Amino acid sequence: MAIAVSSPPSTLGSAPTKKKVNFANLGVGAAMNMFEVTTLGQPFEVIKTHLAANRQDNMITAFKKIYQRGGISGFYQGLIPWAWIEASTKGAVLIFAASEIEYLALGSGVSPFAAGLVGGMGGGLAQAYTTMGFCTFMKTVEITRHKAVGGAAQKSTFAVANEIFKREGIRGINKGVNAVAVRQCTNWGSRLGLSRLAEETIRKVRGIESSTPLNAYEKIAASAIGGGLSIWNQPIEVIRVEMQSQLKTAGRPEKMTIANCARWIWQTNGLKGFYRGSVPRFGLGMWQTICMVAGGDALKNYVNNRFK
């Protein structure tokens, strides 16, 4: 989800410089997102999703159960093909939407923080409704569905997807997409906005001119701060996971909405249930934002300079 966004104006009142959205930048977004999810991203995602769906488990129990399901590969459940399909598409969508919205916001005279916030929110909504609904649902299905043991035949992930589609249609395979949209909107609004705010704070503390680029360590620090602080919306993520979970529990509503799902979590786990999986999501948020904001900006600049 590398974000090719407009640079904040170098001086107050000056017009922002629009960064051209081209195929090279779209490729950077896909490449950085593939790198992020294939390295630490998917293990964080699996642990986070397990804890959100199995809210009675602690971190140690989650590690044990995930490892028992498939060893090291258990931490990469849902990576192929769903996470790869999602990663190779949603970055490009986020780049286009966030860059255009942030450019317009900066042009209206708002601060880099506000422009980043609005751009991230718009980009998050765009990627949720265009590319993420089905893939996010199927990743959650893979992590939470019952796995065959012993010599029993294991249904392929495509067979499961086909069964859900036949049974529930297009709405079934996009179950929880509204919760995904709320999550992505608040995720990237927070990550991009707070990262830009952290960059501005670093500039003020270190006395760096607005026209001088931050170095790699400063960009990484700003991105880590923005990504880590974005976990404030964990209750939305727990609701999303519960709506898409394949676990069967007595009393669980058959047709989940955001409202009745929230009531179910409250009734079964209380307030703490909404914050299950916060620790791995903190790590995931930091890693994603470092890759997509700091790493994405660096790779984008290299590609644009190399092939301009």
Side-chain angles (χ1 to χ4, degrees), residues 109-275:
V110 302
S111 68
F113 164 68
L117 182 67
V118 174
M121 290 173 67
L125 284 172
Q127 66 177 184
Y129 284 117
T130 56
T131 67
M132 286 187 66
F134 176 51
C135 292
T136 300
F137 172 63
M138 285 309 302
K139 284 194 302 180
T140 306
V141 168
E142 280 302 292
I143 295 168
T144 60
R145 73 183 174 107
H146 175 73
K147 302 290 183 179
V149 295
Q154 175 67 56
K155 288 183 181 178
S156 73
T157 186
F158 290 106
V160 173
N162 189 48
E163 285 181 0
I164 294 171
F165 180 75
K166 286 181 177 178
R167 186 172 65 247
E168 303 178 53
I170 194 69
R171 291 173 66 91
I173 60 174
N174 279 282
K175 192 179 296 180
V177 69
N178 290 331
V180 172
V182 174
R183 184 196 71 174
Q184 290 305 105
C185 176
T186 52
N187 265 3
W188 282 105
S190 297
R191 289 173 181 174
L192 185 52
L194 291 172
S195 294
R196 297 304 184 210
L197 181 60
E199 288 176 9
E200 292 302 299
T201 302
I202 290 171
R203 289 183 185 280
K204 290 178 181 178
V205 171
R206 304 198 63 179
I208 302 172
E209 294 291 330
S210 58
S211 58
T212 304
L214 297 179
N215 64 38
Y217 296 109
E218 291 162 343
K219 289 284 290 184
I220 289 172
S223 298
I225 291 169
L229 292 179
S230 68
I231 67 162
W232 64 268
N233 66 354
Q234 181 63 12
I236 299 170
E237 173 66 356
V238 174
I239 291 170
R240 190 275 303 173
V241 171
E242 184 63 38
M243 290 180 72
Q244 297 179 335
S245 174
Q246 299 299 291
L247 297 177
K248 305 300 181 183
T249 307
R252 184 177 185 271
E254 280 295 321
K255 294 185 177 180
M256 282 280 189
T257 64
I258 292 177
N260 68 19
C261 183
R263 284 196 297 270
W264 166 250
I265 294 169
W266 176 266
Q267 290 168 1
T268 54
N269 299 100
L271 181 62
K272 67 178 182 180
F274 289 99
Y275 292 91

